[in-house]
Amino acid sequence: MSYKIAFFDIDGTLVNEDKQIPQDAMEAIAEIKKKGIEPVIATGRAPYFFHHLAEQLHIDSYVSLNGGYVVYKGEVIYKQPIERSDVEAFVNRAVEHSHSLVFEGHHTFSTNNDKDPFMIDAVSSLKVDLPSYNDTFWQQEDIYQIFLHCAAEDEHLYEKAVPGLRMIRWHKTALDVLPRGSSKAEGIHAMLDILKLKPEQAIAFGDGLNDKEMLEAVGLGIAMGNSHEDLKPYAKYITTHVSEGGIANGLRYAGLID
């Protein structure tokens, strides 16, 4: 099967620990573009968290917010916000247990506690600006994803709190909260449908727990050498570390670059 499209996670995949894109990764992506293969960002991040990276790579198509908001060449082709009643129920549970939240719309984000050290630590790790304070933001905008800021030992307080939601930990002080059934794979399927491509014609790179469904949804799922150990069984190939040519080596394995 000839691959026509490649999906790339960001943190730990396209960017290293310093949130920089390695030069060899940039060159490899430029090379597949010249060959007519479409590079697409597929990330848990919201669009405003990665516009600068997309511009560096000259990529204008993305699966963002863990599949909740999908854009192809600048046009929105799919979106799945969280049900407002589910957001409200989750907010009530978090307030009850004194855990702060960050609410992510498609164009901006806000928090209900801008002084929480857990929130500051997690969001700062993304090398982005901190959210503004607005505890009613979720009542005014469609919310595609929520950051819950709590320690791992407190996760059980939320596991069955709202049946329509699921959680994925991405930081020691933060979890993504998204609609149950939503994933990067759903966003990828939406894009492949628009392009009339089969899953077998796609490859994907990832390193985190939110990449499981994505790696299984394509013809060739590639895990980075620095991946979470629980992700690796979902990959058909494990490439090298992000800082050791991981993207270039994976594309080379797929036969997409020399």
Side-chain angles (χ1 to χ4, degrees):
M1 179 66 69
S2 177
Y3 301 120
K4 302 294 185 184
I5 192 166
F7 295 91
F8 300 92
D9 172 53
I10 292 179
D11 297 285
T13 301
L14 277 179
V15 303
N16 57 25
E17 293 86 350
D18 297 321
K19 303 305 179 187
Q20 300 296 315
I21 306 170
Q23 183 63 33
D24 54 6
M26 287 196 284
E27 291 171 358
I29 290 173
E31 188 172 340
I32 67 169
K33 287 183 72 174
K34 289 178 182 177
K35 294 181 177 180
I37 297 156
E38 185 83 35
V40 179
I41 287 172
T43 179
R45 291 193 187 208
Y48 37 88
F49 288 158
F50 64 82
H51 275 153
H52 61 297
L53 298 171
E55 289 174 358
Q56 275 185 270
L57 294 166
H58 305 288
I59 293 176
D60 55 5
S61 299
Y62 53 83
V63 175
S64 68
L65 290 158
N66 278 312
Y69 194 81
V70 182
V71 169
Y72 180 69
K73 295 193 179 299
E75 296 294 327
V76 179
I77 60 170
Y78 175 83
K79 54 185 179 178
Q80 185 185 10
I82 302 174
E83 292 288 340
R84 189 68 53 87
S85 59
D86 285 346
V87 178
E88 182 175 11
F90 202 86
V91 169
N92 290 340
R93 176 59 66 98
V95 169
E96 177 185 350
H97 294 291
S98 301
H99 292 135
S100 63
L101 302 172
V102 171
F103 308 103
E104 294 182 271
H106 75 273
H107 69 282
T108 191
F109 68 135
S110 290
T111 181
N112 62 357
N113 184 355
D114 59 351
K115 302 294 191 289
D116 176 27
F118 273 27
M119 183 279 294
I120 293 170
D121 184 31
V123 176
S124 295
S125 75
L126 297 173
K127 308 294 186 186
V128 298
D129 292 336
L130 294 174
S132 60
Y133 173 79
N134 184 348
D135 63 352
T136 62
F137 180 73
W138 63 271
Q139 298 174 2
Q140 304 155 12
E141 301 281 348
D142 283 340
I143 303 302
Y144 292 87
Q145 187 166 260
I146 301 169
F147 291 163
L148 166 65
H149 297 282
C150 72
E153 57 264 30
D154 289 331
E155 283 184 37
H156 71 279
L157 299 170
Y158 300 90
E159 286 173 352
K160 298 181 180 179
V162 184
L165 300 177
R166 70 185 185 104
M167 304 183 301
I168 306 171
R169 184 167 288 278
W170 60 272
H171 187 274
K172 66 179 190 263
T173 68
L175 300 97
D176 288 335
V177 181
L178 56 154
R180 189 169 297 279
S182 177
S183 69
K184 293 182 184 181
E186 291 300 308
I188 286 172
H189 287 149
M191 186 170 292
L192 294 179
D193 286 346
I194 289 287
L195 299 177
K196 295 182 169 33
L197 293 175
K198 298 177 181 178
E200 293 80 11
Q201 294 176 290
I203 70 170
F205 289 76
D207 75 299
L209 296 178
N210 63 337
D211 295 318
K212 290 179 179 180
E213 297 90 348
M214 175 174 76
L215 296 193
E216 289 190 309
V218 298
L220 177 59
I222 298 176
M224 305 300 288
N226 49 279
S227 293
H228 193 292
E229 286 302 314
D230 290 345
L231 176 70
K232 291 179 180 178
Y234 293 83
K236 290 184 178 176
Y237 179 71
I238 299 173
T239 185
T240 49
H241 191 285
V242 59
S243 297
E244 297 171 354
I247 293 295
N249 288 332
L251 290 172
R252 195 168 290 117
Y253 172 82
L256 299 183
I257 65 172
D258 299 324

